[in-house]
Amino acid sequence: MTWNGWFQILFFSGAVLAVTKPVGVYLIRVYDGSLRWLAPVERGIYRLAGIDPEEDQSWTRYAAALLVFSAVSMLVTYVALRLQGHLPLNPFQRPGVVDRQAFETAASFTTNTNWQSYAGETTMSYLSQMMQLAFHNFTSAAVGVACAVALARGIARRSGGGIGNFWVDLVRGTLYLFLPACFVLALLFVQQGTIQNFAHYVTITTVEGAKQVLAMGPVASQTAIKQLGTNGGGFFNANAAHPFENPTPWTNFLSVFAIFVVPAGLTWFYGRTVRNQRHGWALWAAMFVLFAGGVATAYWAEARGNPIHAARGVDIVASAANPGGNMEGKEVRFGIANSALYATVTTDASCGAVNSMHDSFTPLGGLVPLVNIQLGELIFGGVGSGLYGMIVMAVLTVFIAGLMVGRTPEYLGKKIQSREVRMAMLYVLIFPAVILVLTATAAVLPAGLAGRNNAGPHGLSEMLYAFSSVTGNNGSAFAGLSGGSYFYNTLLGLGTLFGRFAMMVPLLALAGFLAERRTVAESAGTFPVTTPLFVALLVGVIVIVGALTFFPALSLGPVVEHLLMQAGRVF
Amino acid sequence: MLDLLYVALTVGFFALMLGYVRGCERLGRTAGEDERP
């Protein structure tokens, strides 16, 4: 580890802190309707789609609208990918995407996952990248934020009413938040050298005399939304390790910073919405504690390197001429600190963009992204999903605190009773159930075992990571699993769908039930949700729930692999 | 043929989720309210 590496991590943390309030203020204006500079466009969309923007929807109506929108947009994408060969903006005559990949891709992008079992530059036409995949990059991000906003409204409502209007939240989030922010970020990327064109691919001769085809395309605009919307799907197969997407240290900083911008701002938005700004900061603090623990562990593990290399005489000590540590699978341009930071941030959030290959991390370094996903990606988290995941954990925290003292728990003036806890528990239990059932299925069937590139515990980690990634709607790959088969494409596609919608429904139910409750005044027995004690308890609940659920599987994967590595065995 | 299966799988999944909405609503409404001071 170097001072320079720590400085860059601290600089990143300071930038996230600095942007939290300004972004939160902007989010308030987006979702309270006070921003009007695109009002004619907004009204036109409502009129065209027959939407009544004044309707205050119940949670069931809100959820139904969300599901119908997602179903229709997913089916349209499936058909468009299958018919890609007959559609325009396809200069390289890419054929239609095969059925299993079209299903997985449509599910994956609809759910903000962006798991890719294909190489973008050799599979997708420009039209598919820009119309189908980018459409979902924007709308799936807006859907995630809409759910968080709906939950915040449900908690803030003092005595009944709906949780807002899904269509309005979707349109305003896309129009006022993601489109303008991506426009600015794409220009910054272009200024730094990220390519943005419709040029034909370029064939060059390498220094060894071989021919190589360099892919071109509208990369900057796609990269902007993939980071800001925590989507993560790359234009290129190499994702953010590709020099045409991520050419400089500044594009690397902007990429990783953009992932946390909206999730951090949402904590401030939430505090303001529920009229308890300190609680918003308490959630931010809990997220930051977990982020700091993750990045420190990953950086330490990767900088420490592989003892087997050291035993064989490889110099793994950092010096002026040598980054030291474990550089396998990492971009030399970014080094260990920025690779550890990127891997931590992209899995804290549900982004999935990568600038290094997580499969090549040391067992403990690779454990960090895996655990981040399995904790529910609520460490700042995906846009919207991070905040609502953290709120569910806050509800469980006050419930547990209430059990300890024998009182009916309250959360921000709302009594937490059986129905709220039922919804919170559904939310918490579905996630590990889907991951563990799908991983266990793959671990016992020949079709599942055939996808592994490594044997032993590392092979289990590859499967566990894949199903954790899709169910958590992260989309990053451990890079060691061959997921291009009917078995994996179908199962991984289903994992994204269950991981998204089977959790959103009880979440919206929780919003609806809380909206119906009358607000009660705080009393001496109310558990305060703004103190360091609350932050510590919240972090403890998150870690314990995650550890109890996944520790056995992690023990058989990265933990045992680490112990065997110390004994000189690799997989 | 497989196209039909994948489309049916998609439609079936979202139909299941719409049923799940009703199920969650029922699960919430049937929950007892036991309030302590």
Side-chain angles (χ1 to χ4, degrees):
Chain A
M1 292 188 283
T2 63
W3 287 111
N4 180 287
W6 281 115
F7 171 76
Q8 292 186 68
I9 292 167
L10 283 175
F11 180 76
F12 168 82
S13 306
V16 171
L17 175 62
V19 85
T20 297
K21 182 176 176 182
V23 173
V25 170
Y26 186 77
L27 287 167
I28 289 282
R29 298 197 62 208
V30 170
Y31 289 100
D32 71 3
S34 58
L35 270 184
R36 306 291 302 162
W37 56 283
L38 286 169
V41 181
E42 194 185 347
R43 275 198 303 272
I45 294 171
Y46 297 149
R47 202 168 301 134
L48 203 66
I51 295 164
D52 172 13
E54 302 303 320
E55 181 193 4
D56 188 20
Q57 295 174 323
S58 66
W59 86 263
T60 51
R61 200 160 159 73
Y62 197 102
L66 186 155
L67 291 169
V68 169
F69 170 77
S70 301
V72 171
S73 59
M74 180 178 161
L75 284 171
V76 168
T77 297
Y78 179 81
V79 173
L81 292 179
R82 293 288 289 140
L83 298 177
Q84 175 178 263
H86 305 288
L87 297 174
L89 267 178
N90 187 6
F92 311 105
Q93 282 84 48
R94 302 267 180 250
V97 180
V98 295
D99 44 25
R100 55 185 168 77
Q101 275 183 330
F103 169 75
E104 183 193 60
T105 305
S108 180
F109 278 74
T110 303
T111 55
N112 199 253
T113 307
N114 296 25
W115 172 274
Q116 295 165 295
S117 62
Y118 59 86
E121 63 268 45
T122 56
T123 309
M124 296 293 169
S125 69
Y126 288 163
L127 187 81
S128 295
Q129 294 264 21
M130 294 179 68
M131 290 292 291
Q132 298 306 323
L133 307 188
F135 169 81
H136 284 295
N137 281 349
F138 279 97
T139 55
S140 67
V143 165
V145 180
C147 283
V149 170
L151 179 58
R153 281 195 201 109
I155 294 167
R157 297 261 152 107
R158 289 181 186 274
S159 55
I163 57 172
N165 185 309
F166 169 73
W167 303 110
V168 173
D169 290 341
L170 173 68
V171 170
R172 289 190 66 83
T174 307
L175 272 187
Y176 290 99
L177 176 59
F178 289 111
L179 275 171
C182 287
F183 188 77
V184 173
L185 186 59
L187 288 178
L188 290 172
F189 280 136
V190 170
Q191 192 276 331
Q192 284 290 306
T194 303
I195 63 170
Q196 177 76 14
N197 58 46
F198 291 109
H200 276 263
Y201 289 7
V202 179
T203 304
I204 55 123
T205 306
T206 66
V207 287
E208 291 95 356
K211 295 288 181 194
Q212 185 179 353
V213 177
L214 299 181
M216 297 283 122
V219 179
S221 54
Q222 305 288 299
T223 305
I225 182 58
K226 99 168 190 190
Q227 302 299 116
L228 272 168
T230 62
N231 297 283
F235 190 94
F236 299 114
N237 195 30
N239 213 287
H242 198 295
F244 288 177
E245 174 182 325
N246 191 2
T248 70
W250 277 111
T251 54
N252 191 66
F253 171 76
L254 284 172
S255 296
V256 76
F257 176 63
I259 296 173
F260 269 6
V261 164
V262 175
L266 274 168
T267 61
W268 198 94
F269 164 90
Y270 179 61
R272 173 55 61 95
T273 303
V274 298
R275 295 173 289 277
N276 189 335
Q277 203 68 66
R278 289 181 65 199
H279 179 57
W281 283 115
L283 296 187
W284 192 100
M287 291 173 174
F288 185 78
V289 167
L290 291 164
F291 157 73
V295 74
T297 306
Y299 187 23
W300 166 79
E302 294 308 297
R304 190 162 162 262
N306 186 332
I308 299 172
H309 291 167
R312 293 181 182 176
V314 178
D315 182 6
I316 60 167
V317 180
S319 66
N322 179 5
N326 173 33
M327 277 298 289
E328 183 192 313
K330 295 183 179 63
E331 255 284 7
V332 177
R333 296 179 297 138
F334 303 130
I336 292 174
N338 276 307
S339 299
L341 176 65
Y342 209 114
T344 305
V345 171
T346 200
T347 50
D348 280 343
S350 69
C351 185
V354 292
N355 74 350
S356 58
M357 298 303 111
H358 299 176
D359 189 47
S360 294
F361 277 33
T362 60
L364 290 185
L367 180 73
V368 171
L370 186 51
V371 167
N372 282 342
I373 295 171
Q374 291 174 342
L375 289 182
E377 292 172 331
L378 37 65
I379 307 170
F380 294 100
V383 283
S385 58
L387 177 66
Y388 63 64
M390 188 56 96
I391 295 171
V392 170
M393 286 298 174
V395 167
L396 289 180
T397 300
V398 296
F399 173 67
I400 290 167
L403 286 181
M404 288 176 184
V405 294
R407 282 177 54 89
T408 299
E410 298 160 27
Y411 178 59
L412 298 170
K414 302 272 183 168
K415 294 278 188 192
I416 302 297
Q417 297 205 357
S418 175
R419 63 184 184 180
E420 285 81 13
V421 175
R422 283 184 181 191
M423 294 305 117
M425 288 313 298
L426 257 183
Y427 180 95
V428 169
L429 291 173
I430 283 165
F431 180 62
V434 175
I435 293 172
L436 295 174
V437 167
L438 292 181
T439 306
T441 305
V444 295
L445 292 180
L449 294 169
R452 297 170 306 158
N453 278 3
N454 299 81
H458 198 80
L460 178 67
S461 296
E462 287 169 357
M463 291 188 288
L464 182 63
Y465 192 102
F467 288 110
S468 300
S469 179
V470 295
T471 309
N473 297 148
N474 184 276
S476 68
F478 213 44
L481 191 78
S482 302
S485 64
Y486 278 102
F487 176 83
Y488 273 112
N489 287 140
T490 308
L491 234 54
L492 291 167
L494 283 173
T496 67
L497 292 171
F498 277 101
R500 179 76 159 179
F501 300 110
M503 293 172 74
M504 273 184 171
V505 169
L507 184 279
L508 290 171
L510 178 64
F513 295 148
L514 284 170
E516 290 174 7
R517 292 222 181 270
R518 290 186 176 280
T519 306
V520 294
E522 269 192 27
S523 68
T526 302
F527 182 67
V529 290
T530 57
T531 60
L533 176 65
F534 169 75
V535 172
L537 197 56
L538 177 58
V539 170
V541 167
I542 292 166
V543 171
I544 289 168
V545 167
L548 287 177
T549 313
F550 290 107
F551 187 71
L554 292 170
S555 299
L556 296 171
V559 173
V560 77
E561 188 185 353
H562 171 76
L563 298 173
L564 289 169
M565 182 180 79
Q566 303 301 318
R569 282 194 66 187
V570 287
F571 296 91
Chain B
M1 181 59 190
L2 279 172
D3 281 320
L4 283 178
L5 276 176
Y6 279 121
V7 169
L9 189 61
T10 306
V11 173
F13 172 81
F14 282 102
L16 179 73
M17 286 298 107
L18 286 170
Y20 183 44
V21 170
R22 297 182 65 182
C24 283
E25 173 75 356
R26 197 170 304 131
L27 188 66
R29 298 286 169 220
T30 55
E33 300 276 286
D34 174 25
E35 191 165 326
R36 296 176 195 182

